[in-house]
Amino acid sequence: MVDKSEKFNWLVRVGYFSRAILYTVLGLIALTSASKIAEGTNGVFRAIEDYPLGTAILWIMVIGLIAYALFRFCSLFFDIENNGSDAKGWGKRIGHAGSGIAHLALAYSAYRFATSEGGGSGGSGGGAQEAASGVLGFELGGVVLGLLGIALFVAAFHQAKKGITGSFMHRISGQAPDFTRWLGGAGFLARAVVYVVIGWSLFQAGFMSGGSDQVKTLGDAVASLAGEGIIFTLTAIGLLLFGIFSLILARYRIIPELDSSAGVPKFRT
């Protein structure tokens, strides 16, 4: 019988596999297809949709990206990665929450294409913009979006720190390939750049009356860098490498156990 811990482990690994598909396709499109990257997130999912068994792949990504987002939220609420409850620890946990929010948005975009709702959407970030518009319709909705932007800034800081220090290797099995450190370093730095762009778009929409049209998702953020020359190229290469790195994580990431008595994930000691 499969226990809760094994199910949790399996779901998180599907999440990393889904993330590998997403970032690999995003990096390849950014480097090879100006027309598709101009479509932002829609261009990424449309490319996946056109692959053999594309719809099935999209559904796997929906499940996997949601699972990965929940894994990140577990870090915020249950501190499953033992970051602690001091200011530094909470900063990391809030950064993980920002990552979770970003991946939920991506899961929603994948869902729209899996159900054939995304093909006709007008803007490249239509789903995210619709969601942002809904949030802005509530009292203090702008504050919520602005705070989400700040959470993405925090996430970007920790992504860059991981890339520079290689601290992420503590969560990876020693059996992983030797080049994992360099793939991850380049990938995390590229993600930091993209998270800053997404965070700024949310900050503008929430605190600077920029409106929901300002909000960007992953593909849209990369597309917005297309005129930035070497920055765009290095970011695209980094995202491609991050996709390969995520594939390694799907196999070698050390996943917390799910304590069957309490229902709370914890690392083995």
Side-chain angles (χ1 to χ4, degrees):
M1 183 177 178
V2 179
D3 63 22
K4 291 181 180 179
S5 182
E6 290 180 50
K7 291 178 180 178
F8 180 76
N9 188 306
W10 181 84
L11 280 173
V12 173
R13 295 196 187 282
V14 172
Y16 278 110
F17 179 72
S18 300
R19 198 177 75 171
I21 296 172
L22 176 68
Y23 280 94
T24 300
V25 173
L26 175 59
L28 287 172
I29 288 176
L31 291 170
T32 62
S33 178
S35 61
K36 285 186 177 180
I37 197 58
E39 298 179 49
T41 302
N42 279 0
V44 176
F45 288 115
R46 186 169 287 114
I48 295 172
E49 186 180 38
D50 291 338
Y51 292 159
L53 300 176
T55 300
I57 293 172
L58 285 169
W59 276 113
I60 292 172
M61 293 184 70
V62 171
I63 295 170
L65 290 170
I66 291 174
Y68 181 79
L70 293 177
F71 175 49
R72 296 289 80 183
F73 288 132
C74 281
S75 179
L76 172 66
F77 295 114
F78 303 120
D79 193 21
I80 63 173
E81 301 201 79
N82 301 320
N83 290 312
S85 298
D86 57 7
K88 182 179 179 181
W90 273 109
K92 291 181 179 179
R93 291 162 70 174
I94 292 172
H96 288 160
S99 175
I101 292 167
H103 284 85
L104 278 182
L106 290 167
Y108 177 65
S109 293
Y111 169 79
R112 287 169 61 87
F113 275 88
T115 57
S116 300
E117 294 179 12
S121 60
S124 62
Q129 291 168 1
E130 289 172 13
S133 179
V135 172
L136 287 173
F138 292 101
E139 186 176 0
L140 299 180
V143 174
V144 172
L145 285 185
L147 291 176
L148 289 177
I150 293 174
L152 264 294
F153 290 149
V154 174
F157 172 79
H158 288 291
Q159 294 288 302
K161 186 176 179 180
K162 283 182 181 181
I164 293 169
T165 65
S167 60
F168 56 88
M169 292 299 295
H170 296 306
R171 305 301 192 195
I172 300 175
S173 168
Q175 298 178 345
D178 294 338
F179 53 80
T180 300
R181 162 68 179 93
W182 306 109
L183 286 177
F188 278 117
L189 288 172
R191 280 226 302 180
V193 173
V194 173
Y195 276 23
V196 167
V197 175
I198 297 172
W200 177 242
S201 74
L202 287 165
F203 189 88
Q204 283 183 302
F207 290 146
M208 301 173 66
S209 301
S212 61
D213 289 347
Q214 295 285 337
V215 175
K216 293 179 173 61
T217 55
L218 180 64
D220 312 310
V222 176
S224 72
L225 296 171
E228 300 299 324
I230 190 65
I231 295 177
F232 171 74
T233 302
L234 290 177
T235 300
I237 293 172
L239 293 174
L240 174 59
L241 295 178
F242 191 78
I244 300 171
F245 171 71
S246 297
L247 188 61
I248 293 173
L249 290 187
R251 171 64 179 85
Y252 294 107
R253 178 63 152 86
I254 300 172
I255 309 296
E257 283 188 329
L258 188 64
D259 187 335
S260 58
S261 61
V264 177
K266 297 179 179 178
F267 269 109
R268 295 180 179 89
T269 56

